[in-house]
Amino acid sequence: MDLRSHLEDLIPEQQERLKKLKKEHGNVQLGNITVDMVIGGMRGMTGLLWETSLLDPDEGIRFRGLSIPECQKVLPAAFPEGEPLPEGLLWLLLTGKVPTKDQVNALSKDLRTRASVPDHVYKAINALPETAHPMTQFTTGVMALQVQSEFQKAYEKGISKAKFWEPTYEDALNLIAQVPVVAAFVYRRIYKGGQVIPADDSLDYGANFSHMLGFDSKKMQELMRLYVTIHTDHEGGNVSAHTAHLVASALSDPYLSFAAALNGLAGPLHGLANQEVLLWIKNVVEECGENITTDQLKDYVWKTLNSGKVVPGFGHGVLRKTDPRYTCQREFALKHLPEDPLFQLVSKLYEVVPPILTELGKVKNPWPNVDAHSGVLLNHFGLTEARYYTVLFGVSRSIGICSQLIWDRALGLPLERPKSATMELLENQCKKATLTSKA
Ligand SMILES: CC(C)(COP(=O)(O)OP(=O)(O)OC[C@H]1O[C@@H](n2cnc3c(N)ncnc32)[C@H](O)[C@@H]1OP(=O)(O)O)[C@@H](O)C(=O)NCCC(=O)NCCS
């Protein structure tokens, strides 16, 4: 059975499950909302339904219940003991089930047949100056892809709500298939004189993306499979996922929703941090040399903090331990590039930064996140252009975001519309609360 048929089977039972939850337990409380939460970017406030993954502050991400090491164990790979194929993760996110190698191969093939990008997309990107940030060029490409939206066409024709998920599925898979092509075009345009490399239909999703970028070594292909797999999804509250979910709740199609998500991903506190990390590391080397001592490194970290900047790649809105996405990249580096000087610097930062951030006293999580590591791996295999890194993150995130958007429509989730408050309203509430506690 193909992926779409699997979903057709799954959807009615999940619709029933949600209906029952709402009917029988709709009034159950999930916690109290405090003034801190309202002012503090809704930290710790459970407010979204997101099926594809769940983040535990200590354990890190689980994709449909599976941790990253478990995914590395059970998801099909290109060869025995290899890194998981991102297509397998897409299957897992959508269905909650681990696919067979045959199912993954069929999905790979399906994605390849959907990967043709219309010419106007390239024209739209080419209308921008080459100096435009890669994320701006990428998002422009995604917006240009939107003209082919099946959902938009179906909605204009008056499709019934019960069928919303079907054109959403088509848009989602087309989008996932096409973003690597658009992303590779942006890379080749900016850094390789516009010499585009056509897709190789014999390759899987990750290897083909690496190939279109211009990197054909087996290790880089493996890195790309791992990279795309681990960046796909990080539950629903992060800026890019939440943005897509919000925009899609207005029944904006997957292209519109994903383009909005990319604009959030392009912020330095979110996806752009991977760019910032490598630039920061390269500045360290430029200023202090590759054989930097621990004391010099400590001084550099303090200099960054004292100039009012954050140390990129450290900290997290939810995580309170080292990000397992960091750990698996570290393991990849230990296996494939243990002698790389920048990897050794990253390892040193792992020792130096957390105690300093702890000493600051206000940082809730001093440990490294996913972005602290990805740059040095890419840099090692020749993808040295740090400004491009967030585009890679964006390609991967299409898989998580689009999977959930299909479920948003299948479950008939409503328009997202939280209540906001003014400072005056909060002050009045606080006065009332004080009076009640004194009474
Ligand atoms: C990810 C991040 C935005 C989370 O923000 P958050 O949930 O508000 O984090 P905290 O609650 O720990 O923040 C409390 C304080 O510590 C600071 N802080 C957090 N991480 C920090 C870091 N890596 N370097 C310096 N200061 C940091 C915050 O800026 C905040 O300072 P403020 O009160 O003066 O505004 C934050 O850790 C950060 O800016 N990290 C660096 C950028 C990065 O790596 N982003 C990618 C995340 S996957």
Side-chain angles (χ1 to χ4, degrees):
M1 243 198 328
D2 67 1
L3 181 56
R4 190 175 159 140
S5 315
H6 267 280
L7 272 177
E8 259 162 32
D9 275 4
L10 280 172
I11 286 170
E13 72 190 45
Q14 294 303 312
Q15 287 171 333
E16 271 316 300
R17 186 178 168 199
L18 187 67
K19 223 180 183 175
K20 188 165 179 256
L21 190 62
K22 200 167 173 236
K23 195 170 161 217
E24 294 177 12
H25 306 290
N27 290 330
V28 171
Q29 290 209 345
L30 290 178
N32 290 321
I33 294 173
T34 63
V35 172
D36 261 349
M37 286 170 165
V38 174
I39 298 171
M42 300 195 272
R43 290 294 180 294
M45 200 190 275
T46 303
L48 291 172
L49 188 68
W50 191 269
E51 285 293 279
T52 47
S53 67
L54 191 65
L55 184 58
D56 179 271
D58 294 324
E59 279 192 345
I61 193 65
R62 281 185 181 271
F63 303 116
R64 292 282 189 176
L66 296 180
S67 68
I68 288 178
E70 285 165 353
C71 285
Q72 286 175 303
K73 225 181 197 172
V74 299
L75 287 179
F79 48 83
E81 309 288 305
E83 299 298 345
L85 292 163
E87 300 90 315
L89 191 77
L90 169 59
W91 186 291
L92 174 71
L93 293 179
L94 266 172
T95 65
K97 299 191 172 93
V98 174
T100 63
K101 185 76 193 287
D102 282 349
Q103 286 171 326
V104 169
N105 288 345
L107 179 55
S108 274
K109 204 166 150 204
D110 181 14
L111 290 172
R112 285 196 295 271
T113 63
R114 295 169 181 267
S116 155
V117 169
D119 209 38
H120 73 263
V121 174
Y122 302 123
K123 287 191 183 136
I125 297 171
N126 281 333
L128 293 167
E130 262 172 46
T131 50
H133 193 279
M135 279 300 278
T136 306
Q137 301 197 33
F138 182 45
T139 311
T140 301
V142 170
M143 279 305 298
L145 284 174
Q146 190 275 340
V147 299
Q148 63 189 12
S149 170
E150 295 291 328
F151 182 86
Q152 192 183 50
K153 277 184 229 154
Y155 196 83
E156 278 170 6
K157 281 193 194 140
I159 187 176
S160 105
K161 189 175 177 185
K163 288 190 169 294
F164 279 174
W165 78 268
E166 295 180 16
T168 303
Y169 177 90
E170 297 305 321
D171 279 354
L173 264 79
N174 290 339
L175 177 60
I176 291 168
Q178 290 169 10
V179 284
V181 183
V182 176
F185 178 82
V186 169
Y187 180 73
R188 302 294 300 179
R189 173 176 191 244
I190 302 175
Y191 304 110
K192 304 291 169 187
Q195 292 187 332
V196 171
I197 301 174
D200 176 345
D201 281 348
S202 69
L203 296 173
D204 58 83
Y205 189 85
N208 202 12
F209 183 29
S210 180
H211 167 72
M212 289 186 286
L213 290 167
F215 303 95
D216 284 316
S217 79
K218 295 277 171 249
K219 284 185 183 176
M220 180 63 166
Q221 289 179 349
E222 273 293 84
L223 173 62
M224 199 55 84
R225 292 178 187 119
L226 176 68
Y227 184 101
V228 175
T229 298
I230 63 174
H231 286 78
T232 48
D233 209 28
H234 217 223
E235 74 167 31
N238 65 78
V239 171
S240 52
H242 185 187
T243 303
H245 187 73
L246 167 67
V247 173
S249 82
L251 296 186
S252 303
D253 63 60
Y255 298 92
L256 296 171
S257 311
F258 180 63
L262 287 178
N263 286 318
L265 196 70
L269 295 187
H270 189 24
L272 203 79
N274 59 5
Q275 156 184 323
E276 296 300 288
V277 168
L278 198 75
L279 295 177
W280 187 85
I281 288 176
K282 285 192 168 169
N283 280 340
V284 173
V285 174
E286 212 164 89
E287 215 166 284
C288 312
E290 266 180 7
N291 297 320
I292 185 168
T293 63
T294 303
D295 281 343
Q296 277 176 309
L297 200 49
K298 281 183 186 165
D299 288 347
Y300 197 92
V301 172
W302 276 116
K303 197 171 102 179
T304 301
L305 292 170
N306 291 336
S307 62
K309 296 181 199 151
V310 294
V311 181
F314 286 79
H316 199 271
V318 177
L319 278 169
R320 294 297 174 254
K321 291 270 169 67
T322 298
D323 189 339
R325 300 173 299 174
Y326 175 93
T327 310
C328 74
Q329 293 183 89
R330 179 172 165 76
E331 279 160 11
F332 188 93
L334 286 168
K335 187 167 160 196
H336 297 291
L337 45 125
E339 305 300 331
D340 182 285
L342 290 191
F343 166 57
Q344 287 175 358
L345 183 51
V346 164
S347 299
K348 217 175 221 175
L349 285 168
Y350 196 6
E351 290 164 27
V352 165
V353 176
I356 296 180
L357 291 182
T358 306
E359 197 181 322
L360 263 190
K362 62 177 181 178
V363 181
K364 295 200 187 64
N365 173 35
W367 301 105
N369 60 55
V370 65
D371 298 316
H373 216 305
S374 52
V376 294
L377 300 179
L378 297 162
N379 186 70
H380 179 86
F381 293 112
L383 212 170
T384 55
E385 298 86 356
R387 279 181 101 230
Y388 183 76
Y389 289 171
T390 312
V391 176
L392 301 172
F393 196 155
V395 167
S396 166
R397 194 122 292 193
S398 70
I399 292 178
I401 282 176
C402 287
S403 300
Q404 180 58 41
L405 292 190
I406 295 168
W407 277 105
D408 286 358
R409 297 291 76 83
L411 295 172
L413 297 188
L415 183 79
E416 197 176 296
R417 189 19 176 126
K419 179 81 186 80
S420 67
T422 58
M423 278 202 264
E424 190 187 5
L425 184 140
L426 294 179
E427 284 159 354
N428 289 340
Q429 284 287 113
C430 296
K431 271 183 216 150
K432 261 195 234 160
T434 317
L435 287 177
T436 325
S437 70
K438 276 185 188 156

